[in-house]
Amino acid sequence: INYFVHCAAGNFPRTPIRATSLETVAREFRIGLFSAVEFLIRADEHLADDARLLLLSSNAAVRGAKRRAFHYSSMKAALNGFVVGAAAEYARRGIAINAIAPSQTLTERVSTHGRISRDEIIEQMKTYSPFGRAAETNEVAAFALDLLLTETTYFTGQVIAFDGGTALNWEADPA
């Protein structure tokens, strides 16, 4: 295996902690974190010595739940920790493990299952993002491809914010 991209998260209700079952939290972690761990365990002997692994995280891991599903942001924070730990373990084999942490991205899932409509997201992002918009899926995909195919081999254990500068504009966060 030369390249691998992990992009997984559940679609669970946004509930306060007091109203969330442990099963809901466990399911989120099984889908978003344990699947990445299981891949690495099972794929270990099949990884090329210069393999590139990329995991999709979220800026929610750093910025917290803030009216989002806390179990999602908790799982993505744990995924970030996994990236750093796994990268440290696999670097001697020349294997790079990194993550991208996008902010709001206009995915099909967000458009059909989001807490607000696509049009509302577009409107909110006009003030939330310095670019005045949400990320498009093709932008995240292009950045992921760039990271996977880079000639740079001295790069591992990084969780890269792909947030269009939204971290610069925290007070306007609509989420």
Side-chain angles (χ1 to χ4, degrees):
I1 299 170
N2 294 306
Y3 304 101
F4 175 74
V5 176
H6 178 271
C7 180
N11 188 19
F12 304 107
R14 287 157 170 65
T15 55
I17 293 171
R18 69 180 179 282
T20 304
S21 71
L22 285 177
E23 180 51 36
T24 296
V25 176
R27 194 170 0 143
E28 186 79 56
F29 274 73
R30 278 194 304 274
I31 292 169
L33 173 65
F34 299 158
S35 61
V37 174
E38 183 177 13
F39 167 79
L40 201 50
I41 290 168
R42 293 177 185 258
D44 181 86
E45 65 188 68
H46 305 288
L47 292 172
D49 284 341
D50 60 351
R52 300 284 174 258
L53 284 61
L54 185 65
L55 291 79
L56 272 287
S57 183
S58 170
N59 75 337
V62 176
R63 297 183 62 181
K66 196 171 183 187
R67 293 188 295 277
R68 300 176 200 158
F70 79 91
H71 39 79
Y72 173 80
S73 59
S74 299
M75 177 273 295
K76 289 298 188 179
L79 186 71
N80 292 353
F82 172 68
V83 165
V84 172
E89 185 173 330
Y90 281 82
R92 289 282 184 204
R93 287 177 49 189
I95 297 170
I97 304 174
N98 294 293
I100 299 173
S103 64
Q104 187 68 65
T105 304
L106 292 174
T107 64
E108 184 65 31
R109 179 176 167 223
V110 165
S111 297
T112 57
H113 300 295
R115 65 190 187 286
I116 60 176
S117 73
R118 181 182 179 92
D119 290 340
E120 289 172 300
I121 291 168
I122 291 169
E123 193 59 37
Q124 284 184 352
M125 291 304 287
K126 287 179 181 177
T127 58
Y128 175 48
S129 168
F131 285 110
R133 63 181 181 80
E136 297 287 344
T137 54
N138 63 322
E139 293 174 299
V140 178
F143 186 62
L145 194 58
D146 287 346
L147 286 176
L148 288 171
L149 300 179
T150 183
E151 301 267 334
T152 303
T153 58
Y154 198 66
F155 185 76
T156 193
Q158 302 301 306
V159 179
I160 304 161
F162 190 81
D163 66 358
T166 58
L168 306 172
N169 205 11
W170 172 241
E171 293 304 316
D173 186 354

